[in-house]
Amino acid sequence: ADVHTEGHGYDLRARRGAAQRCVEVKGVWESASSAGVSLTGHELLIARQLAGDYWLYVADRCSDHAGRIYGVYPNPVALFEGLVRDQTVVKVPGSALKAARTEGGA
């Protein structure tokens, strides 16, 4: 379900039985490995609360209006723990996205 306008701190919610995946989608105009992405304080709060149910999907090369999935990151707060500080926005550099990259997700 597309819930991006409902203020949940993520864009999509998928459910299968009792399992759920709450997905925040970040698009990058050019290269995700160069530009990185930013997460807001609200997104981080919800990601902390949902832990393994919260996933970050990063699309890059969005400048051609097609975009491609660059990487899929389960539990991004734990994955990028060293980058999360008392800030309202967290910048995840492209090098960290590249190092933690998976394609497709489980």
Side-chain angles (χ1 to χ4, degrees), residues 4-103:
H4 81 277
T5 62
E6 298 174 18
H8 293 295
Y10 50 87
D11 298 314
L12 306 168
R13 181 185 308 122
R15 291 189 175 141
R16 182 180 294 157
Q20 75 171 344
R21 184 176 290 188
C22 300
V23 177
E24 176 59 25
V25 179
K26 297 291 184 180
V28 178
W29 196 250
E30 292 295 332
S31 169
S33 64
S34 296
V37 297
S38 296
L39 298 170
T40 68
H42 181 63
E43 291 163 350
L44 290 170
L45 173 67
I46 300 304
R48 277 189 191 100
Q49 292 171 350
L50 295 174
D53 288 345
Y54 194 99
W55 291 63
L56 172 64
Y57 281 53
V58 177
D60 72 351
R61 309 279 178 216
C62 294
S63 58
D64 66 5
H65 304 290
R68 291 139 195 87
I69 294 294
Y70 175 81
V72 176
Y73 307 91
N75 198 355
V77 171
L79 190 60
F80 301 114
E81 182 179 344
L83 303 171
V84 178
R85 297 176 188 88
D86 291 332
Q87 300 177 24
T88 57
V89 175
V90 169
K91 174 73 172 175
V92 178
S95 58
L97 287 173
K98 187 174 182 180
R101 180 178 177 182
T102 62
E103 296 183 31

